[in-house]
Amino acid sequence: MSVSLRAQLLLFLISLSSRRGLSRYIEDIDASDGFYSLLSLDQKRDSEDFISRRPLRCLDMLAADGYFTFVASGPQLACAAFIIAEPSEVINLELSDVNIDCGAGDFIKMFDGWVLKGEKFPSNQDHKLLPHERYTDYCSSPGPGSTSRSSQNVAMIFFRIHSPDSSFTLAVKKLHNPFPCNIMSQSPEGSFTMVIPHQRRNCSFSIIYPVEIRLTELSLGQAKSNELRPQKQAWTGCSGFGDYVELLGGNGVDTSQMFPVADLCFSLSGFAQMKIGCDNSVVRLVSSGNYINRVSFKYRLLEQNELPKSRENSLDSFCTVE
């Protein structure tokens, strides 16, 4: 049985901890701001005017605006902090009071998105920047690189520090994004509308849960039909059209590595729905740039009795759809 993507996030940190002797930092992550609370149904929202000030752990998850200071008590060779905001926000990161030795191998790198087990979100094909442009390296950037703004509602930093008492402060500020694109949802239930206004780009909404997705509105540049077409049927797909929506399912965060569940290359006046029994369920809007494309959808967590039964040595053991 596959490990859920939510568990992979935590296991990723634990694996770093076990390799680098950082288990005490995992033990210090409490229910108020750790992975479990961040991705749980009962997550408590911070008030909009709340500014957090607390130490930054070697392995951490941040979901609030604030100032987070890291002070090394000894060599910390494999540290990472994941940052997540609301779907309609982007994240501004700023480093200050940096006291590290770049010449001794220390580094702080900010990344536009998330990297998990070698996979990137958003994927390379869906991000507006080239892979190397998504990194801001404090030590290597001219000037040096101390600020970074994400293109979507997730970002992260990697850092390595060798000497005790080395330190830095990370300021996290979330900003409004009028046209959200490539979103990682914090909740397994909700609704959202993605709009691409005359731009040639791809936008994904990623839900790290098995869910039922109901498309309630779809406006594309070309109208071809009016029904949801699962990939299991004899259907050539919508990839030949410049504007379409596809539903994806999979075990990781990189949409280019996920299983295409269904696609739609037509405007929709009613609704279409599908259950995706995967660790990660994605609505992906592909736009040619010739039109204003819009998709609205609702999603809900599948109940235990709705989850598919896994079958060994088949695609269903990885991801089953209905």
Side-chain angles (χ1 to χ4, degrees):
M1 181 178 295
S2 64
V3 178
S4 74
L5 187 54
R6 299 180 302 283
Q8 285 186 46
L9 284 169
L10 187 57
L11 289 173
F12 169 74
L13 298 189
I14 293 174
S15 67
L16 285 178
S17 171
S18 63
R19 291 198 304 269
R20 301 297 184 180
L22 302 172
S23 60
R24 63 184 181 276
Y25 288 94
I26 289 294
E27 293 169 356
D28 287 342
I29 296 178
D30 57 37
S32 64
D33 53 13
F35 278 101
Y36 288 123
S37 63
L38 180 66
L39 298 173
S40 71
L41 288 172
D42 299 323
Q43 179 186 345
K44 295 182 179 178
R45 304 291 181 183
D46 294 311
S47 62
E48 292 183 0
D49 58 352
F50 177 74
I51 300 297
S52 176
R53 292 181 182 271
R54 70 162 174 82
L56 179 69
R57 303 176 180 94
C58 175
L59 308 172
D60 216 334
M61 171 69 89
L62 308 176
D65 286 358
Y67 298 87
F68 306 91
T69 299
F70 181 80
V71 179
S73 59
Q76 308 288 355
L77 304 182
C79 298
F82 294 82
I83 303 102
I84 190 167
E86 294 299 319
S88 59
E89 296 174 328
V90 293
I91 302 164
N92 190 78
L93 302 178
E94 183 174 359
L95 298 171
S96 63
D97 301 324
V98 179
N99 175 27
I100 65 172
D101 188 348
C102 296
D106 294 354
F107 66 75
I108 306 173
K109 298 181 181 182
M110 294 172 281
F111 182 71
D112 187 0
W114 277 2
V115 179
L116 183 64
K117 305 192 80 166
E119 294 191 6
K120 296 184 179 71
F121 179 85
S123 68
N124 289 336
Q125 64 180 233
D126 286 355
H127 203 281
K128 62 182 181 181
L129 299 178
L130 296 174
H132 71 275
E133 295 175 327
R134 298 170 67 177
Y135 291 91
T136 300
D137 190 332
Y138 175 84
C139 291
S140 299
S141 299
S146 59
T147 62
S148 176
R149 180 172 296 184
S150 71
S151 304
Q152 61 290 309
N153 75 321
V154 292
M156 70 183 302
I157 66 167
F158 309 89
F159 55 99
R160 173 184 296 170
I161 294 177
H162 291 81
S163 301
D165 298 324
S166 296
S167 61
F168 65 89
T169 295
L170 175 70
V172 177
K173 184 177 182 180
K174 292 175 283 187
L175 306 170
H176 178 65
N177 182 10
F179 295 106
C181 180
N182 297 322
I183 298 113
M184 185 73 72
S185 176
Q186 297 185 40
S187 171
E189 298 180 349
S191 61
F192 198 75
T193 296
M194 283 192 296
V195 180
I196 304 183
H198 292 292
Q199 294 177 338
R200 184 180 178 87
R201 66 185 307 190
N202 309 325
C203 293
S204 296
F205 190 95
S206 181
I207 311 158
I208 312 180
Y209 296 88
V211 296
E212 178 186 78
I213 296 175
R214 173 177 290 200
L215 302 183
T216 56
E217 179 189 357
L218 178 58
S219 176
L220 296 172
Q222 301 175 8
K224 298 299 176 186
S225 181
N226 60 359
E227 64 176 283
L228 187 67
R229 298 180 182 270
Q231 292 286 356
K232 291 181 178 180
Q233 298 179 1
W235 167 242
T236 57
C238 291
S239 59
F241 299 100
D243 305 89
Y244 61 94
V245 164
E246 60 180 348
L247 303 183
L248 306 171
N251 249 356
V253 296
D254 189 331
T255 54
S256 67
Q257 304 297 319
M258 297 176 69
F259 174 65
V261 175
D263 53 15
L264 305 91
C265 35
F266 50 82
S267 294
L268 184 70
S269 57
F271 69 88
Q273 68 183 39
M274 179 166 285
K275 295 177 182 178
I276 304 179
C278 304
D279 289 342
N280 193 9
S281 307
V282 171
V283 179
R284 182 171 181 262
L285 178 59
V286 177
S287 180
S288 66
N290 297 323
Y291 310 96
I292 298 176
N293 292 325
R294 175 188 181 100
V295 59
S296 298
F297 53 92
K298 298 180 179 180
Y299 53 101
R300 68 169 182 86
L301 183 67
L302 292 180
E303 301 292 340
Q304 191 65 34
N305 59 4
E306 296 179 283
L307 294 176
K309 305 296 184 183
S310 63
R311 303 171 191 169
E312 293 184 1
N313 301 321
S314 74
L315 181 63
D316 291 329
S317 65
F318 169 70
C319 176
T320 297
V321 300
E322 295 179 6

